[in-house]
């Protein structure tokens, strides 16, 4: 057995007794292409969904989407007025069919980046696919707001905003501490979940202590804790289905009142 790569059309012959001859026609391998849907859907839990179509004459082998911050489109106010710390792009693998040909693909990318600093901010999404020959096809970049979970409880929304601000820049830590102290100054009748309040006081104290020399590790740990506290305030830690339904109805009423 002889293996070799065909790079051009021509004649292939095996000489000698019993030899044969073939005319080889090399068919050009066109690069793949991908077309994402410009519309991005948002699920209630913060997941986003985006349809895309990809095709290749011999089959797509893999694909990815690169999400970068569209800094020029960001509303640079409040915590976002500070110069952002460097954040690498987010790269997500595109779902590929397990069975069947990959010459034409219609699929949906589903992921949850609610906890990422890019959530609910302007981003640029660039889709790219690759074929077996290593050729790539890249779609025109899409400029959109990256969907994420929305918070309608006022305190939960404040926590998520301060969390975003310290992820945006560690220089925002002193300002975030001041605001968190202000919104929790008189908790009576305002913060009804005692467990959330106690966890929040601990998080504020830690951020206050570390604000001047906030490391990436400490910042990420505090951001994770603020996210969990915000979820408790927004969704509660309710056990019964009816209680969760009533809580969801309250959040929906609040959203409608605020014009969501």
């Amino acid at each position: 057995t002889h293996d070799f790569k065909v790079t051009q059309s021509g004649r292939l012959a095996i000489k000698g007794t019993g030899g044969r001859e073939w005319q080889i026609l090399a068919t050009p391998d066109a690069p793949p292409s991908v077309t994402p849907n410009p519309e991005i859907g948002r699920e209630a839990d913060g997941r986003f969904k985006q349809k895309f179509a990809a095709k290749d004459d011999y089959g797509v082998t893999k694909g990815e989407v690169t999400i970068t911050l569209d800094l020029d489109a960001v509303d640079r106010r409040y915590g976002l007025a500070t110069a952002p710390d460097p954040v690498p792009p987010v790269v997500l693998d595109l779902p590929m069919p397990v069975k069947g040909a990959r010459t034409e693909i219609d699929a949906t990318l589903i992921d949850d980046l609610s906890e990422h600093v890019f959530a609910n901010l302007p981003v640029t999404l660039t889709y790219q696919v690759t074929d077996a020959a290593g050729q790539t096809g890249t779609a025109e970049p899409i400029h959109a707001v990256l969907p994420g979970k929305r918070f309608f409880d006022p305190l939960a929304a404040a926590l998520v905003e301060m969390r975003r601000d310290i992820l945006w820049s560690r220089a925002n830590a002193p300002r975030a501490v001041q605001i968190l102290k202000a919104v929790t100054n008189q908790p009576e009748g305002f913060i009804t979940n005692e467990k959330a309040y106690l966890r929040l006081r601990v998080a504020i104290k830690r951020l206050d202590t570390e604000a001047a020399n906030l490391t990436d590790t400490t910042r990420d740990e505090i951001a994770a804790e603020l996210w969990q506290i915000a979820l408790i305030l927004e969704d509660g830690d309710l056990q019964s289905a009816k209680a969760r339904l009533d809580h969801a109805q309250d959040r929906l009423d609040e959203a409608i009142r605020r014009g969501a």
Side-chain angles (χ1 to χ4, degrees):
T1 300
H2 294 275
D3 295 327
F4 52 90
K5 183 180 292 186
V6 175
T7 59
Q8 64 184 36
S9 299
R11 184 174 67 92
L12 172 64
I14 300 177
K15 297 181 179 180
T17 304
R20 292 186 60 186
E21 181 177 304
W22 297 267
Q23 289 295 324
I24 304 298
L25 178 61
T27 304
D29 184 2
S33 64
V34 58
T35 306
N37 190 318
E39 299 295 327
I40 304 178
R42 183 206 305 261
E43 298 291 300
D45 60 1
R47 292 183 301 165
F48 73 91
K49 302 170 63 175
Q50 188 172 23
K51 295 182 178 180
F52 69 92
K55 60 182 180 180
D56 182 69
D57 45 5
Y58 291 99
V60 176
T61 57
K62 63 179 181 179
E64 63 184 29
V65 57
T66 302
I67 305 173
T68 57
L69 180 67
D70 189 357
L71 189 58
D72 291 339
V74 175
D75 185 2
R76 302 296 298 275
R77 294 187 296 165
Y78 310 118
L80 301 182
T82 308
D85 293 338
V87 180
V90 177
V91 180
L92 304 176
D93 291 330
L94 298 181
M96 293 285 134
V98 179
K99 298 180 180 180
R102 294 184 178 182
T103 53
E104 293 191 10
I105 299 173
D106 286 297
T108 302
L109 171 65
I110 303 176
D111 213 306
D112 187 356
L113 294 177
S114 292
E115 295 186 53
H116 197 276
V117 66
F118 291 170
N120 299 310
L121 290 177
V123 295
T124 301
L125 299 96
T126 305
Y127 278 72
Q128 185 179 81
V129 290
T130 306
D131 65 10
Q135 301 180 105
T136 60
T138 305
E140 287 293 324
I142 294 177
H143 300 278
V145 173
L146 182 65
K149 182 175 177 61
R150 301 178 68 180
F151 291 82
F152 298 103
D153 179 272
L155 180 57
L159 298 188
V160 170
E161 183 175 341
M162 293 305 100
R163 173 188 178 276
R164 180 207 64 190
D165 287 354
I166 63 174
L167 289 174
W168 176 269
S169 173
R170 287 175 297 168
N172 281 327
R175 174 181 178 274
V177 168
Q178 288 183 329
I179 294 176
L180 290 173
K181 285 182 176 180
V183 298
T184 58
N185 183 45
Q186 295 182 348
E188 295 80 7
F190 175 53
I191 306 177
T192 57
N193 190 308
E194 184 177 356
K195 181 171 71 173
Y197 174 70
L198 293 177
R199 289 178 62 173
L200 180 55
R201 296 302 301 172
V202 173
I204 293 173
K205 183 177 180 180
R206 185 182 182 191
L207 183 59
D208 193 11
T209 302
E210 304 283 349
N213 298 288
L214 189 62
T215 65
D216 290 347
T217 301
T218 302
R219 176 202 61 193
D220 293 345
E221 291 174 354
I222 294 173
E225 178 66 1
L226 291 176
W227 180 264
Q228 292 302 319
I229 298 170
L231 289 179
I232 294 174
L233 293 169
E234 180 72 17
D235 301 325
D237 50 0
L238 308 174
Q239 299 300 318
S240 73
K242 184 178 185 305
R244 289 197 300 269
L245 181 61
D246 291 342
H247 189 77
Q249 183 64 54
D250 291 340
R251 297 278 71 76
L252 177 60
D253 292 342
E254 175 68 18
I256 292 174
R257 285 194 297 269
R258 295 174 58 183

